Amino acid sequence: MEALVEGAVTAALRDGGDETIRLYAAACAERMAPLFVGLRAGAPGREADLDFYAESVRDLWHVEQPLVNAAEGVHRLERFAELQPNEEGITDVADTYAFFAALCLRYALLAHGSGDADDAVSCGHVALTAMGMLDQNVAGAGFLTEEQRLQSLSLGGDVSGLWDASVTAGRERLRAVLGRLPR
């Protein structure tokens, strides 16, 4: 399978050090967060999962040091329904994008805790895969191209500008997915 994360981004992650990896992972997770939180809000029994997800994404932005509880967070996230094996697969639109968002957070937590560039690349790959799928299902969309641009942007520069851009992109993604749900 061809890697979706651009070669220059992968190289920058491998050469950039732990803080670069953590910033990249935080930004990817932030852009995917509305897909989990927005699609699971109001689901019975998921309040603790929603709180954990939102808190985890918030904590990822503390890039100056690794999360001390990243492994515990990964273990908790892996118990989410979205990451449980399902013989029938995922066919529902909301379930599909909630899965991608949960998987993205999993890799972001791994990358943040370990400083491993491969975990960060996997985090970016999940976001790009989800946006490529969204582009295929929304006429005229450019989510994949925008995700690639934001991944490059996350390798340096203004953290507050990156956060703002990531929040905005996440909201646009959620609106597009909500537009695909049956009324």
Side-chain angles (χ1 to χ4, degrees):
M1 171 173 45
E2 183 179 329
L4 290 176
V5 176
E6 293 177 354
V9 171
T10 300
L13 288 168
R14 291 204 167 104
D15 296 340
D18 291 352
E19 200 165 314
T20 299
I21 289 168
R22 289 192 290 268
L23 180 60
Y24 174 87
C28 286
E30 185 71 51
R31 290 188 295 275
M32 295 296 287
L35 294 177
F36 186 84
V37 175
L39 295 171
R40 293 302 184 235
R46 298 301 301 269
E47 296 83 6
D49 291 346
L50 289 164
D51 289 344
F52 170 76
Y53 194 100
E55 290 167 10
S56 295
V57 172
R58 180 200 64 211
D59 291 347
L60 288 172
W61 285 99
H62 299 284
V63 298
E64 62 282 346
Q65 59 189 358
L67 292 173
V68 294
N69 61 346
E72 179 184 311
V74 169
H75 181 68
R76 181 172 175 183
L77 188 63
E78 288 174 341
R79 293 191 308 258
F80 277 27
E82 290 77 13
L83 297 181
Q84 297 305 306
N86 179 347
E87 287 188 28
E88 296 173 11
I90 302 171
T91 57
D92 179 77
V93 172
D95 291 348
T96 298
Y97 290 100
F99 161 77
F100 281 127
L103 188 59
C104 184
L105 180 58
R106 178 188 180 276
Y107 282 118
L109 288 169
L110 286 170
H112 205 288
S114 70
D116 187 333
D118 289 338
D119 289 331
V121 169
S122 293
C123 180
H125 180 81
V126 169
L128 289 165
T129 300
M131 293 307 96
M133 183 180 293
L134 192 54
D135 278 357
Q136 290 176 349
N137 291 293
V138 177
F143 292 105
L144 178 64
T145 300
E146 178 67 358
E147 177 61 23
Q148 289 170 326
R149 184 187 76 77
L150 290 169
Q151 285 188 14
S152 293
L153 180 68
S154 70
L155 297 172
D158 178 23
V159 173
S160 66
L162 177 60
W163 182 82
D164 288 341
S166 295
V167 168
T168 299
R171 288 178 183 157
E172 291 169 2
R173 294 169 185 193
L174 178 60
R175 276 193 290 276
V177 171
L178 290 174
R180 295 200 57 240
L181 297 179
R183 304 258 182 239

